[in-house]
Amino acid sequence: MSLDTSQPLKLARQYKLQWEKVQDAWVLLYPEGMVKLTGSAGEILTRIDGERSAQDVIANLQAAFPGADLQQDVIDFLEHAHDKGWITPV
Amino acid sequence: MTKAGSPLSDTIKPPLWVNAEITYKCPLHCVFCYNPLNYASTFEKELSTAQWLKALREARELGAVQLGISGGEPLMRDDCEEIVAEASKMGYYVNLLTSGIGLTEERIAAFKAGGLDQIQLSFQDSTKEMNDFLSSTRTFDLKRKVARLIKQYDYPMVLNVVLHRLNIDHIEQILQMAEEMEADHVELANSQYYAWALKNREQLMPSREQLEHAEAVCNQFRERLGNKMKLYFVVPDYYQDRPKACMNGWGTVFLNIAPDGLALPCHEARMLPGLEFPNLRDHDVRTIWYESEAFNAYRGDSWMKEPCRSCDEKHKDFGGCRCQAYMLTGDARNADPVCSKSPHHSIVTDQVALAQRAQSTDEEVRPVIIFRDDKNSRAFVDE
């Protein structure tokens, strides 16, 4: 399913994002399960706040990591996260 | 209990999942209950609120993230809300497993405010008569009310229905009920034969024909409803020829804490002989998880006997379930006899053959079924 990059995104109901010291990683918790996120996946998902759209997330990341070409990687990951049901349009 | 310098100690991963059985008290008397037969012996020895919170905090510090609050019926403890709220603050994803008995609007509001993440509601069957018979109480109407409350408080509706010989033919009514309740997830798991369900195994094991019918009906609902209502159908493991990867391996992710503070690698391990399970009253979770002899007993594969020892699937299923191996063969180190490579596999296939007999009527079945109740449990304590 393709994602409307101008629409605000939020974590899906039942999903919780938290930093796990023991795993030294952001994890996504859901009923009876957990996904350990890579560093860049954590950077992206922590910017999903119910107000930012995919375009806003990209702009925000570009400001935080100047010089990197993030556009396609972020879109790919957000589409993956959307397909998995982790995030949803507001 | 400590085994100094265990060769595994560097490779043991932290527990991720804690199941807190906060009480074995329960208003229901389900014939397939997996609580220990002598559960009544824990009534006078339940951990206090403070002892529960200490254990949960220690497990959280080790890295545990998922928490099941179960029982018995966890709502039988009036500190259930407090335990849930504190655990939520600690950073657990908290799941309440309940029959719904005792879940008033006041309590569900307190759970919501305390951060409870999910509620799993168990049903015994879709019809009032069968639900009440199988759980030996009159609770069905109450449960429907609870199901509405769960929706009202914006929780997904997660239904657990334990299937067996006496209710599996009602699968269509069960799923219609689930659909009417707007269930989001429905787990239709056949009872597995431990504890009370093992005592009642002959009465509970469905025939192959019953299983095939039930699965076909499930598939019809799946086709019609798609993602709107997700269905999970689990057959009794006796019908399979490879064992389940029980607990994803002994002492790898799962820590069960019984009402009396006993720390166990699974719900059933208490009955295994020769192991002294550590108690949270006496030890902290770190010592128990990493150093206790009981949690190390079946880690890795050096404990395995043939055919597991040389089996190329041993890292996939870990030889199955230690408790089932013990219950059916008398030695927990044997292969789980569900495996067709086990020299004891005929124990399982003989039971399956017996289950192919014609259906008996309820009248014939009732007198021999053993209900999980305090009187019966106390008889097992004395045994």
Side-chain angles (χ1 to χ4, degrees), chain B residues 254-268:
Chain B
F254 191 81
L255 170 64
N256 193 68
I257 308 175
D260 53 353
L262 218 57
L264 301 163
C266 74
H267 310 82
E268 301 300 320

Side-chain angles (χ1 to χ4, degrees), chain B residues 66-114:
Chain B
Q66 287 283 349
L67 176 64
I69 304 280
S70 75
E73 170 50 65
L75 296 173
M76 294 292 279
R77 277 185 69 135
D78 56 16
D79 58 356
C80 191
E81 290 88 328
E82 184 181 351
I83 293 173
V84 164
E86 290 300 319
S88 183
K89 265 188 236 161
M90 291 176 207
Y92 280 107
Y93 197 95
V94 187
N95 188 8
L96 180 70
L97 295 93
T98 178
S99 66
I101 316 296
L103 191 58
T104 57
E105 176 151 14
E106 194 186 347
R107 295 193 83 177
I108 197 170
F111 284 125
K112 190 80 189 180

Side-chain angles (χ1 to χ4, degrees), chain B residues 19 42 56 68 89 143 148 167 178 206 216 227 245 277 284 294 316 380:
Chain B
N19 188 53
T42 63
L56 295 179
K89 265 188 236 161
K143 286 193 184 209
R148 280 196 290 272
N167 71 358
N227 272 344
F277 288 102
D284 62 18
K316 205 163 87 186
F380 288 117

